[in-house]
């Protein structure tokens, strides 16, 4: 298997993902893969980093496309690569001008199911002591969903990935049926997608805890309100500031199954917003 350490960042061609790749190139003692859905934009991002003196590698990856994920998985397998750091950064914020059903489907299928698809493809190639960082959001706090019955389902200590998948699919259906409000999901499809991602991170850590010899960590992180396309450039943090906590988890932190704020504080996923 690959003797060199390997880090992979999804959605790495711009914004926070680009800054995470740059930070890993600076501080990670190994090869860094910048992946992106669009080949041209991904290659342009790699070229930009090379002008800064870094040498990331590139591979196309559309987290929502089964063939794309399978192709990357096969590349990893064929080249006998073992992964030390996986940063699941790729995501989307569906336009609020769309119907709630459309917003729910886009946000959940990308932010939750797309990330899950990547994890299912790449987790078999994680090396011992690997670190997985799932880029969540302040929207990923459980209390952003108002319904206590829905909250209880997400908090169920026996919730499995299969059960969580069913819950996320139920939300999409409720949004399409226009029953999402009465059932307690709240008004924001992005929130539900990121709560799902944070819940997924918790379950993934529990599963790895059953294999303690691997010593693999999975953490979710809110990178802050960052000046990116996703925030329509209204964020007050730079992309480098947004990359701070993800890099902390990828490189330094000895945390497992935590929800981390942009200033690197561990916060309660099911608690109030930090001050």
């Amino acid at each position: 298997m690959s003797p060199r350490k390997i880090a992979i960042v999804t959605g790495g061609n711009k914004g926070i993902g680009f800054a995470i790749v740059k930070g890993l190139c600076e501080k990670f003692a190994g090869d860094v893969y910048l992946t992106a859905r669009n080949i041209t934009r991904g290659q342009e991002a790699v070229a930009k980093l090379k002008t800064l003196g870094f040498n990331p590698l590139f591979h196309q990856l559309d987290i929502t496309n089964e063939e794309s994920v399978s192709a990357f998985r096969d590349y990893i397998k064929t080249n006998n690569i073992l992964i030390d750091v996986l940063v699941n950064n790729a995501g989307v914020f569906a336009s609020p001008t769309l119907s709630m059903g459309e917003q729910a489907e886009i946000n959940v299928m990308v932010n939750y199911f797309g990330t899950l698809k990547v994890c299912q493809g790449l987790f078999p190639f994680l090396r011992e002591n690997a670190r997985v960082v799932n880029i969540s959001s302040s929207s990923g706090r459980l209390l952003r969903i108002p319904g206590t019955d829905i909250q209880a389902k997400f908090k169920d200590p026996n919730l499995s990935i299969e059960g969580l998948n069913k819950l996320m699919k139920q939300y999409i259906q409720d949004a399409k049926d226009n029953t999402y409000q009465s059932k307690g999901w709240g008004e924001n499809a992005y929130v539900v997608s990121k709560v799902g991602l944070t819940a997924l991170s918790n379950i993934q850590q529990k599963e790895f805890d059953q294999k303690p010899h691997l010593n693999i960590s999975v953490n979710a992180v809110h990178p802050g309100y960052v000046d990116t396309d996703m925030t329509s450039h209204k964020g007050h943090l730079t992309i480098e500031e947004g990359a701070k906590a993800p890099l902390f988890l990828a490189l330094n932190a000895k945390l497992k199954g935590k929800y981390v704020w942009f200033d690197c504080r561990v916060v309660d996923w099911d608690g109030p917003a930090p001050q």
Side-chain angles (χ1 to χ4, degrees), residues 7 9 12-13 18 21 32-36 42 45-46 49 56-60:
V9 182
N13 62 289
F18 181 84
V21 172
V32 181
Y33 278 85
L34 183 158
T35 72
V46 167
L49 286 166
L57 303 171
F58 174 72
H59 201 287
Q60 191 274 342

Side-chain angles (χ1 to χ4, degrees), residues 2-239:
S2 55
R4 285 184 61 78
K5 290 190 172 184
I6 301 293
I8 295 170
V9 182
T10 69
N13 62 289
K14 64 178 181 177
I16 298 169
F18 181 84
I20 293 171
V21 172
K22 179 174 179 288
L24 287 171
C25 286
E26 291 174 327
K27 301 173 183 177
F28 178 71
D31 293 330
V32 181
Y33 278 85
L34 183 158
T35 72
R37 178 180 59 181
N38 184 285
I39 294 176
T40 300
R41 292 174 183 172
Q43 291 176 336
E44 288 174 348
V46 167
K48 182 177 179 179
L49 286 166
K50 287 186 175 181
T51 66
L52 298 175
F54 304 117
N55 193 34
L57 303 171
F58 174 72
H59 201 287
Q60 191 274 342
L61 178 62
D62 180 347
I63 70 170
T64 66
N65 184 286
E66 191 74 51
E67 291 183 359
S68 177
V69 174
S70 295
F72 188 43
R73 177 204 62 207
D74 292 346
Y75 169 84
I76 296 295
K77 182 178 181 179
T78 301
N79 288 277
N80 295 316
I81 291 172
L82 290 178
I83 303 164
D84 297 274
V85 172
L86 172 61
V87 181
N88 287 306
N89 168 76
V92 69
F93 183 92
S95 171
T97 61
L98 297 173
S99 71
M100 186 54 70
E102 291 171 319
Q103 291 181 53
E105 187 156 39
I106 292 170
N107 281 308
V108 172
M109 294 308 295
V110 177
N111 299 337
Y112 175 78
F113 283 106
T115 300
L116 176 60
K117 196 186 303 291
V118 171
C119 292
Q120 290 173 330
L122 299 187
F123 274 11
F125 305 100
L126 293 177
R127 202 193 307 265
E128 290 182 9
N129 306 311
R131 291 168 173 170
V132 179
V133 182
N134 291 330
I135 306 299
S136 184
S137 166
S138 61
S139 297
R141 286 189 307 108
L142 184 59
L143 295 185
R144 290 294 303 272
I145 293 178
T148 55
D149 289 345
I150 300 294
Q151 291 176 17
K153 292 179 180 179
F154 277 109
K155 286 180 65 176
D156 182 351
N158 296 315
L159 182 65
S160 63
I161 291 178
E162 180 182 4
L164 181 56
N165 290 347
K166 291 179 180 178
L167 188 59
M168 300 303 286
K169 289 177 181 177
Q170 184 61 56
Y171 167 64
I172 294 174
Q173 190 59 55
D174 290 344
K176 290 180 176 180
D177 293 342
N178 201 31
T179 60
Y180 62 94
Q181 289 173 303
S182 62
K183 292 186 177 180
W185 288 104
E187 296 287 345
N188 192 312
Y190 181 77
V191 163
V192 177
S193 72
K194 289 297 187 178
V195 169
L197 179 59
T198 311
L200 174 64
S201 305
N202 296 337
I203 297 172
Q204 289 172 332
Q205 184 62 66
K206 288 180 181 178
E207 291 187 346
F208 280 123
D209 287 345
Q210 301 303 310
K211 304 173 183 177
H213 64 285
L214 295 177
N215 193 36
I216 291 173
S217 67
V218 183
N219 294 287
V221 59
H222 162 48
Y225 194 38
V226 181
D227 179 3
T228 64
D229 290 348
M230 187 175 286
T231 65
S232 300
H233 298 282
K234 295 177 181 178
H236 60 275
L237 298 178
T238 65
I239 58 172

